[in-house]
Amino acid sequence: MKPYPLVHVQEPNLLKDTFPYTLPPLIKFTDDIIETIDGKQVHFDPRSAVTRDIHITDTTFRDGQQSRPPYTREQMVKTYEMLSRLGGPQGVIRQTEFFLYTQNDRDTVDACRNLGLKYPEITGWIRANKADFRLVKEMQLKETGMLTSASDYHIFYKQNQTRQEAMDQYCEVVEAALEAGIRPRCHLEDVTRADIKGFVLPFVQRLEKMTESLPENSKVKIRLCDTMGFGISYPNVEEPRSIPKLIYRMKEECGVSAERLEWHGHNDFHKVHINGANCWVYGLNAVNTTLFGFGERTGNPPLESAVMEYVALKGGLNGVNLAVITEIAEYFTKVIGAPIPANYPFVGKDFNTTRAGIHAGGLRRNEEIYNIFDTTALLNRPPRVAITDKSGTDGVALWVNDFLGLKGEQQLTVMKVAKIQRWVMDQYEKEKRLTTISDEELEAQVKLHFPELYAQATNKKA
Amino acid sequence: MTREEITRRVIAVTARELGKKPEEIKEPHHFAFDLGADSLKSIELVAAFEEEFDLNLNEEEALKVQTVGAAIDFFVQLLPE
């Protein structure tokens, strides 16, 4: 046993280099990640995520919209504007893609473009056929995604083609895009269930060959689509499910740079966020996301979580305005009517709300004990307590002081709020209540027991 | 205030709050283990002491007091003769 003697300290060691509280907790790697590929040990340096131009792309209006009733044009324009503010001037949210099929789709693209915002750049999404490609040309977009399905499930069963026919068709549309000066982004649909060496690598190598004379910023982009959520980010998993092997082969065996590689995940196995984050770590630059993870079936990587991961990896905000996440969430719940689960990280109604008395006690003594970071400053969401029979007198004191806006020495003690806590407990023990005490009920109790403080606080709020 | 006066009033408040007769309450009695005060009742008891002696007590210090005798000593210190 290696001995570890107790280290006595005069001051607490709060590990502020990792948990600054003024930012989400930072992620710091110590060493390379080693993956065995074709019998050789391959080193991935996760620290490169700090220096590379990692960024977020958005598909809220494309994949995100496939899972729900359509957004109105006004809702999409407003959301686009908020995405721009959230991602900031460095374009951390770099691109967003739109359907182009209906007149309403195209009018919405025009309305967003008319805002004159630099980021996110607007791109299209089409199937890889010439009729669809015409739409992109008409809209004068600089880049479009195109569906280039990679697995035999899609090629044989959906498209009723051979691999050769599928590849030829994809390349024909890519060629047309390049001729028109539009950058193609090939979406390798179902790539985590595809024959990597038998189809995916030959196709991507052919694409690279087609564009070898073009400058890097005009070459084909590759989106790795984990259509069914089969991708695995653990080291040393067999192909085609291995994410590190896939990224390695794209970069090292096909010559696709990190700048031209993107990950698009689905959440069928609850791996959607961490798979996307690991793609940054394993060396690609773009992770495709949707707001709140809304997307086909189980959804896509949540954009707001990717933003948090970005800040944690980079060690700084880089122009990101995290408070806009709260603004977007309010807009989605109140205006669009898209429900967000109460316990959903960063945006759910209760994400930083405790119901446990022991946690409430900790929060009262020092907010940092039970708050993940300074959610008041960064998200405009102060930590809160919800009152039940489990939240204790500490919980009531926290709620009441928060409601009355009392700080430091002004705060009411648990003794002062004991009558409210007795009322709360009577609700459960005598009235057999089973629901949380509402804010309105607590407000009425504060008004009853602290009429002067209540009047001061409500006058201040008014 | 004299120790005798404080003792009488601490016992009277304790008896009233915890539903006991004053003569049942002795100085060594632990509020929770001997007199059955749960956590909320303990806080209500301290709140009642605050009212009785017209004090605003420090929460952490007041809630550390566990026995009737310790409560008497606590208020003897706070309330000079």
Side-chain angles (χ1 to χ4, degrees):
Chain A
M1 187 186 295
K2 183 179 173 185
Y4 286 96
L6 177 65
V7 179
H8 299 277
V9 294
Q10 294 300 313
E11 297 295 328
N13 177 2
L14 302 175
L15 310 171
K16 286 290 181 182
D17 286 348
T18 300
F19 305 99
Y21 202 63
T22 52
L23 287 174
L26 308 182
I27 299 167
K28 296 176 180 183
F29 293 95
T30 56
D31 292 289
D32 287 358
I33 301 167
I34 300 168
E35 170 86 19
T36 303
I37 301 177
D38 297 335
K40 284 187 210 155
Q41 287 199 334
V42 173
H43 286 245
F44 291 86
D45 182 2
R47 290 155 294 203
S48 75
V50 180
T51 50
R52 290 194 341 262
D53 180 28
I54 62 169
H55 58 265
I56 294 160
T57 60
D58 172 72
T59 183
T60 295
F61 306 130
R62 203 275 298 169
D63 206 330
Q65 207 170 190
Q66 284 175 209
S67 67
R68 48 156 291 116
Y71 299 117
T72 67
R73 188 186 314 165
E74 185 193 358
Q75 289 167 348
M76 290 169 76
V77 173
K78 175 69 182 166
T79 303
Y80 175 76
E81 181 273 326
M82 290 190 285
L83 281 173
S84 180
R85 276 191 289 127
L86 170 57
Q90 307 302 320
V92 173
I93 301 174
R94 190 70 46 90
Q95 295 183 319
T96 183
E97 64 193 7
F98 287 76
F99 283 123
L100 302 171
Y101 292 115
T102 68
Q103 189 58 46
N104 189 48
D105 292 335
R106 298 189 286 274
D107 289 345
T108 304
V109 169
D110 279 334
C112 290
R113 279 199 296 210
N114 288 342
L115 294 177
L117 301 169
K118 187 174 179 189
Y119 298 114
E121 297 162 5
I122 292 171
T123 71
W125 184 90
I126 59 168
R127 292 160 297 208
N129 64 54
K130 284 189 167 173
D132 279 12
F133 175 67
R134 185 180 49 79
L135 297 169
V136 183
K137 234 171 134 179
E138 282 172 8
M139 290 302 292
Q140 300 178 313
L141 296 178
K142 290 180 187 162
E143 178 179 321
T144 188
M146 52 182 68
L147 187 61
T148 54
S149 298
S151 75
D152 286 345
Y153 285 86
H154 286 240
I155 294 168
F156 280 75
Y157 291 162
K158 185 173 140 193
Q159 297 167 196
N160 198 24
Q161 289 176 312
T162 64
R163 290 179 176 182
Q164 188 67 58
E165 287 167 341
M167 192 190 294
D168 290 345
Q169 184 194 319
Y170 303 158
C171 289
E172 199 179 333
V173 183
V174 166
E175 192 67 55
L178 292 168
E179 277 172 20
I182 296 165
R183 190 175 197 182
R185 185 180 65 233
C186 289
H187 294 193
L188 303 187
E189 191 80 357
D190 209 18
V191 73
T192 48
R193 196 169 44 165
D195 182 344
I196 300 295
K197 291 183 180 172
F199 181 81
V200 175
L201 300 183
F203 173 47
V204 176
Q205 286 178 343
R206 181 170 162 187
L207 290 172
E208 288 296 296
K209 194 86 183 155
M210 284 167 67
T211 57
E212 62 187 352
S213 61
L214 293 177
E216 178 67 15
N217 62 5
S218 300
K219 287 185 175 181
V220 177
K221 285 184 173 178
I222 300 294
R223 179 181 285 184
L224 304 169
C225 299
D226 184 20
T227 306
M228 306 302 285
F230 292 141
I232 302 286
S233 55
Y234 306 139
N236 301 318
V237 169
E238 68 175 3
E239 293 171 283
R241 298 188 72 184
S242 166
I243 290 172
K245 287 186 175 75
L246 187 56
I247 292 173
Y248 172 85
R249 293 199 193 282
M250 287 291 127
K251 291 174 76 174
E252 304 302 325
E253 297 181 350
C254 298
V256 185
S257 64
E259 290 74 27
R260 292 190 287 122
L261 270 177
E262 183 181 31
W263 175 260
H264 171 95
H266 278 269
N267 200 29
D268 296 80
F269 294 92
H270 268 302
K271 294 179 187 293
V272 78
H273 169 72
I274 202 62
N275 277 357
N278 268 305
C279 284
W280 274 335
V281 168
Y282 284 119
L284 61 65
N285 278 8
V287 173
N288 193 229
T289 64
T290 59
L291 282 164
F292 316 118
F294 292 152
E296 180 76 358
R297 297 189 315 280
T298 53
N300 303 106
L303 181 141
E304 64 288 348
S305 298
V307 172
M308 290 294 174
E309 197 83 20
Y310 174 92
V311 173
L313 286 167
K314 289 286 188 185
L317 293 168
N318 197 21
V320 164
N321 183 351
L322 293 175
V324 182
I325 290 174
T326 304
E327 203 180 320
I328 296 174
E330 281 177 9
Y331 186 76
F332 267 65
T333 50
K334 290 178 184 166
V335 178
I336 294 179
I340 296 173
N343 65 347
Y344 197 82
F346 312 125
V347 293
K349 183 172 165 284
D350 292 343
F351 92 85
N352 61 347
T353 298
T354 184
R355 287 180 168 75
I358 195 160
H359 288 204
L363 275 173
R364 279 188 68 217
R365 279 151 193 83
N366 186 321
E367 172 186 304
E368 293 188 34
I369 299 173
Y370 282 112
N371 202 23
I372 53 174
F373 51 78
D374 190 347
T375 53
T376 310
L378 293 174
L379 290 172
N380 201 18
R381 291 282 305 270
R384 298 202 64 217
V385 61
I387 303 301
T388 68
D389 57 338
K390 308 290 189 299
S391 46
T393 319
D394 269 315
V396 169
L398 188 63
W399 193 99
V400 171
N401 285 316
D402 183 45
F403 176 79
L404 293 174
L406 301 177
K407 310 271 182 213
E409 296 284 302
Q410 294 179 313
Q411 292 194 48
L412 300 175
T413 63
V414 287
M415 292 83 83
K416 299 294 184 211
V417 301
K419 284 179 180 162
I420 298 181
Q421 172 65 358
R422 175 56 66 194
W423 175 83
V424 169
M425 293 311 293
D426 284 350
Q427 291 291 301
Y428 293 95
E429 289 174 351
K430 293 185 178 167
E431 307 294 331
K432 306 298 176 197
R433 179 176 180 142
L434 295 172
T435 55
T436 301
I437 306 287
S438 71
D439 287 352
E440 291 74 20
E441 288 172 294
L442 285 164
E443 192 175 329
Q445 287 293 310
V446 172
K447 192 175 178 183
L448 175 68
H449 294 288
F450 306 102
E452 286 180 15
L453 290 172
Y454 177 84
Q456 283 171 19
T458 47
N459 285 342
K460 211 182 275 181
K461 283 176 189 171
Chain B
M1 200 176 293
T2 64
R3 184 176 182 89
E4 288 68 30
E5 176 67 6
I6 288 171
T7 303
R8 186 186 63 74
R9 289 168 74 168
V10 164
I11 289 175
V13 169
T14 305
R16 186 181 75 228
E17 288 298 316
L18 302 183
K20 307 278 182 196
K21 291 177 183 163
E23 55 270 26
E24 293 175 337
I25 295 170
K26 307 293 177 204
E27 288 198 25
H29 278 163
H30 193 285
F31 291 118
F33 305 146
D34 300 314
L35 301 174
D38 62 16
S39 65
L40 175 55
K41 206 69 203 156
S42 299
I43 293 168
E44 288 175 321
L45 183 59
V46 178
F49 287 141
E50 281 189 324
E51 278 188 25
E52 177 69 23
F53 296 112
D54 196 22
L55 290 169
N56 287 315
L57 298 174
N58 176 288
E59 180 181 316
E60 291 208 8
E61 287 175 12
L63 293 175
K64 273 186 200 159
V65 175
Q66 304 281 309
T67 65
V68 176
I72 293 164
D73 292 341
F74 183 73
F75 289 110
V76 165
Q77 281 198 339
L78 285 176
L79 300 164
E81 278 196 46

